[in-house]
Structure formats: C-alpha cells, structure tokens
Amino acid sequence: MTATDGGSATGGDERGGPGGDTVAAVVRQWRAVHPDLDTGPMEIIGRINRCAALLQQAEDAPLRRAGLSRAEFDLLGALRRTGHELTPGDLARETFSSGAAVTKRLKQLTERGLAERRGDTRDRRVAHVRLTAAGRDLVDGILPEQLAYESAVLSGVDGPEQGELAALLGALLGQLEGRLGALRV
C-alpha cells in the first residue's frame, strides 16, 4: 500500500491513531497539491522530527529540577558510564556535539563543581575531564528519576511496541550513521 492510494507507506492509517496528528494534516495538504507523489517518507521523518521537537520543548523535568540541560547531563553521563577521564574531543564524539558546545558546557559544569579538567603532562594542548564526587552523585541520583520520567513519556506505547519501535529506530539510526555522509550533497 502506498501513501497515494489512501493508505500509508507505514502500513497503517495515515492519521497515526484516533484523531490524527499534525503530520497527518500536512500529508493530507501535500496530497491535495501533489496527489501523484508518495508522501510515505514524510509520514515517518516528519513524525520523528515532530516527536523530537516536542520532547525538546518539554525539556526533561528531572534534569530541569536539578538545574541541568539535556546536553549537560549527556556530558556528565558520558563521563559516568565510561568510568574514566575523557578529552573534550572524546566527549564531543560521545555526545554528538560540536567541540565548541562541549567547551562551553564543560566550563559551566566545572564552575558548578560537577566536573574537573586537568592538563595532559605530555601535551599541554590536551585536557582530560573527569567527574567530581558531586558530579557522580548527581548523575547517580538523577538517573533513576530521569528514566522514570522517560518511561512516563512513553507510557502510551505498550511494552512490546516499545521494543519494536526501539528496534526500528535503531535500524534507521544505524543506516543513517553509516550512510548519511554519502547522502549529503
């Protein structure tokens, strides 16, 4: 079934559930303008983008209460889960951030006493970053609450469907991470 014959390229109703969603309305408008085009990709990518935007707008309540942004928590989390010092470049790769963004966030986190930097003994251009005890305690204290919050956000999706969604998104992400560079013009 295609998006142009009344169905959806995803195999379900284009509305995404009872009452539809904002992407379904956009798809209907595009079909009226270009009924010959397959809007199936838009139904998927548009919904992924809309979900990401809504999740960003909602912020992460437990993180906000702790005075952290998601990006700051990601840096602290990378240091905690790897269990060792990382360079700012390592942190940029771990958190999919730019070097400049990592530098700015690290400055804020070190000023708050959650992370500390030390210079490399062999190369003064290299810095090593580690969590302080306060940073480790903050991450360990907030992680269960953050996971509970994320579970609540996903509560409308049944357990087996969550697993299926995670697998599908994982497959898409793996494909994009491997091929996106080739798709850029």
Side-chain angles (χ1 to χ4, degrees):
M1 184 178 279
T2 68
T4 57
D5 65 9
S8 165
T10 58
D13 185 326
E14 76 178 50
R15 293 170 290 152
D21 59 36
T22 56
V23 173
V26 169
V27 167
R28 281 191 299 277
Q29 291 167 342
W30 277 118
R31 284 185 186 158
V33 174
H34 286 290
D36 55 320
L37 295 179
D38 178 4
T39 58
M42 184 183 298
E43 294 179 57
I44 296 168
I45 292 172
R47 285 186 174 105
I48 290 171
N49 287 337
R50 182 71 178 138
C51 285
L54 289 170
L55 289 169
Q56 283 184 325
Q57 286 175 8
E59 289 289 320
D60 296 293
L63 300 181
R64 191 173 55 245
R65 283 193 296 275
L68 290 173
S69 68
R70 168 57 82 166
E72 290 170 330
F73 183 74
D74 287 347
L75 285 178
L76 296 173
L79 290 166
R80 181 66 175 121
R81 72 176 185 270
T82 60
H84 56 81
E85 293 181 347
L86 296 171
T87 66
D90 294 334
L91 284 167
R93 284 185 293 282
E94 285 285 328
T95 61
F96 311 107
S97 301
S98 71
V102 167
T103 298
K104 179 182 175 186
R105 291 176 194 131
L106 283 176
K107 183 178 187 294
Q108 295 166 339
L109 294 170
T110 55
E111 288 172 356
R112 291 177 60 191
L114 301 173
E116 56 189 18
R117 298 172 72 123
R118 71 167 182 82
D120 190 288
T121 55
R122 293 174 297 196
D123 187 345
R124 293 186 320 183
R125 296 171 298 173
V126 177
H128 297 274
V129 182
R130 67 178 175 196
L131 282 178
T132 62
R136 186 180 56 252
D137 291 346
L138 180 63
V139 171
D140 289 349
I142 202 170
L143 184 60
E145 187 180 354
Q146 180 63 24
L147 289 172
Y149 173 79
E150 291 175 2
S151 292
V153 167
L154 294 172
S155 65
V157 181
D158 293 336
E161 289 175 332
Q162 284 185 23
E164 183 179 343
L165 180 58
L168 290 170
L169 289 172
L172 177 61
L173 181 59
Q175 180 182 22
L176 290 174
E177 287 177 338
R179 295 188 191 172
L180 193 57
L183 294 175
R184 291 187 180 137
V185 181

